Amino acid sequence: MSSNTSNTSRKRSADEDTTTQPTIMDAFKKKRPNGNTTTTTTAKPRPQQRSTTASSSKPAAAPDESSPYFSKAETVEQSTNPLTATGTTSTTLQIIESTGDIFSAPINTLLIHACNCQASWAAGIAKAFKQNCPEAFPKYAAYCKKWTPDQLFGTAFLIAPSDDAFSAATTKETADGDDEGFAEADDDDEPGDPATHFVGCLFTSHHYGKRKDSPTKILAATKPAMEDLLRKVQEWNESVDEGKRIKEVRMCKINSGLFNVPWEKTRQVLEGIEVGKSGVEVVKVVSLEE
Ligand SMILES: Nc1ncnc2c1ncn2[C@@H]1O[C@H](COP(=O)(O)OP(=O)(O)OC[C@H]2O[C@H](OP(=O)(O)O)[C@H](O)[C@@H]2O)[C@@H](O)[C@H]1O
């Protein structure tokens, strides 16, 4: 039986929680969308800290031994989980490269790309995200407008599929005769409807085009932005039922196109990121055939 048919746990959408309106107190706390404080001054109120970030008062959850999303390097079974597919004991992110269409991913896959902080997806793969994940762009644009570029820079935004997309996917799985339902989506590699993909926006440059940040600044923002996204993935997966969890993570060769940063430099940064409690050990980097 599909586990999402009896969803009684707290429901929320990733973008909903992360776009909480700032309060007057936040202006004093100078919070950023990643929950950290900043020393820069701005007239715009700072974002509210999320209650479930690692830096919150909530005690850090111990790894759930029964969950396939947390590291259990000693077990063999986890090698079937795309989040932990290599079965090694590395505590930092593993990058696995392949060629293909990033949007041709199974349902419940998180697709990551690098973004400017100006609410623009006008070119490069961002334009393809706008076309393939039409529900995501307005959420990204609205989110950008709530914060200043300085606040967004070095943070991430996680956009979840709509409840309608989840429902439609569940219905389709059932109609296709998949008794395991949506929750077992990670067991096959069938492409899911792009509406069922999560979108991860890494704010690695303030601007685009000629005003884009230098490679040094973009690389400096990439690590905290990815760490912020991993925290948000963890929070999401801990707060929803099995059927809505992120089960695989894919990205393009972020920063390497219009942002003009050599891919190997970005890859090096990503490979230095601690997996932590996010459960995400493997990121599949999918690029178009040469
Ligand atoms: N359709 C497609 N399918 C698959 N892979 C595709 C693709 N199109 C390009 N790639 C590859 O994807 C990687 C990243 O290359 P990109 O140039 O996209 O991104 P970037 O991270 O360097 O820079 C971000 C800024 O580009 C955007 O456009 P705007 O300024 O907003 O208009 C953002 O919003 C930012 O500002 C490179 O390997 C490209 O070969």
Side-chain angles (χ1 to χ4, degrees):
M1 184 180 126
S2 172
S3 61
N4 61 310
T5 55
S6 57
N7 185 350
T8 53
S9 70
R10 184 163 59 96
K11 291 178 187 166
R12 68 175 190 201
S13 85
D15 46 287
E16 192 178 272
D17 267 6
T18 50
T19 56
T20 309
Q21 287 286 353
T23 68
I24 189 69
M25 284 308 292
D26 296 317
F28 296 101
K29 289 178 194 162
K30 294 187 169 60
K31 292 282 160 54
R32 303 178 68 217
N34 62 357
N36 291 340
T37 55
T38 179
T39 51
T40 57
T41 54
T42 173
K44 200 166 179 176
R46 293 288 181 177
Q48 194 169 38
Q49 182 170 350
R50 298 192 58 189
S51 61
T52 53
T53 55
S55 57
S56 75
S57 56
K58 183 185 170 188
D64 176 1
E65 291 295 313
S66 66
S67 166
Y69 305 103
F70 290 94
S71 305
K72 288 188 290 181
E74 68 278 12
T75 62
V76 176
E77 301 85 74
Q78 70 166 347
S79 63
T80 58
N81 178 353
L83 289 185
T84 58
T86 65
T88 72
T89 56
S90 174
T91 60
T92 51
L93 276 186
Q94 294 169 63
I95 304 299
I96 298 177
E97 293 188 31
S98 64
T99 54
D101 177 6
I102 192 173
F103 297 102
S104 181
I107 57 179
N108 290 45
T109 298
L110 167 62
L111 309 178
I112 302 172
H113 67 138
C115 295
N116 59 69
C117 305
Q118 305 294 325
S120 168
W121 285 358
I125 201 166
K127 192 173 175 185
F129 267 90
K130 201 172 177 179
Q131 287 160 351
N132 282 276
C133 310
E135 286 187 8
F137 177 72
K139 293 175 180 173
Y140 154 81
Y143 188 74
C144 286
K145 284 172 185 153
K146 286 184 177 171
W147 313 112
T148 66
D150 277 346
Q151 290 169 322
L152 292 171
F153 184 66
T155 70
F157 182 41
L158 175 62
I159 305 172
S162 66
D163 282 342
D164 285 350
F166 275 122
S167 302
T170 309
T171 308
K172 184 174 179 304
E173 289 280 324
T174 308
D176 288 349
D178 181 356
D179 288 343
E180 302 300 332
F182 196 58
E184 297 301 317
D186 55 322
D187 283 349
D188 62 41
D189 212 30
E190 285 295 307
D193 184 321
T196 65
H197 294 148
F198 291 74
V199 177
C201 306
L202 302 177
F203 294 103
T204 62
S205 172
H206 289 81
H207 291 278
Y208 53 86
K210 286 183 180 164
R211 296 182 66 199
K212 65 181 177 288
D213 286 326
S214 67
T216 305
K217 276 185 98 170
I218 290 172
L219 287 169
T222 298
K223 185 167 190 274
M226 189 64 188
E227 288 170 342
D228 189 35
L229 186 61
L230 293 181
R231 270 192 298 275
K232 285 168 177 165
V233 169
Q234 179 192 351
E235 289 169 5
W236 173 264
N237 277 356
E238 286 177 353
S239 68
V240 297
D241 282 351
E242 169 81 17
K244 289 188 175 182
R245 288 183 191 151
I246 292 166
K247 306 202 170 164
E248 185 168 334
V249 178
R250 298 187 181 189
M251 70 163 55
C252 62
K253 287 183 176 171
I254 57 164
N255 304 333
S256 71
L258 295 167
F259 281 170
N260 206 26
V261 179
W263 164 242
E264 284 310 318
K265 292 195 172 179
T266 296
R267 180 178 169 138
Q268 218 173 1
V269 168
L270 295 170
E271 286 177 329
I273 292 175
E274 291 290 329
V275 168
K277 294 186 172 66
S278 70
V280 179
E281 297 177 1
V282 175
V283 174
K284 293 183 183 175
V285 174
V286 183
S287 43
L288 295 170
E289 308 265 354
E290 294 297 318

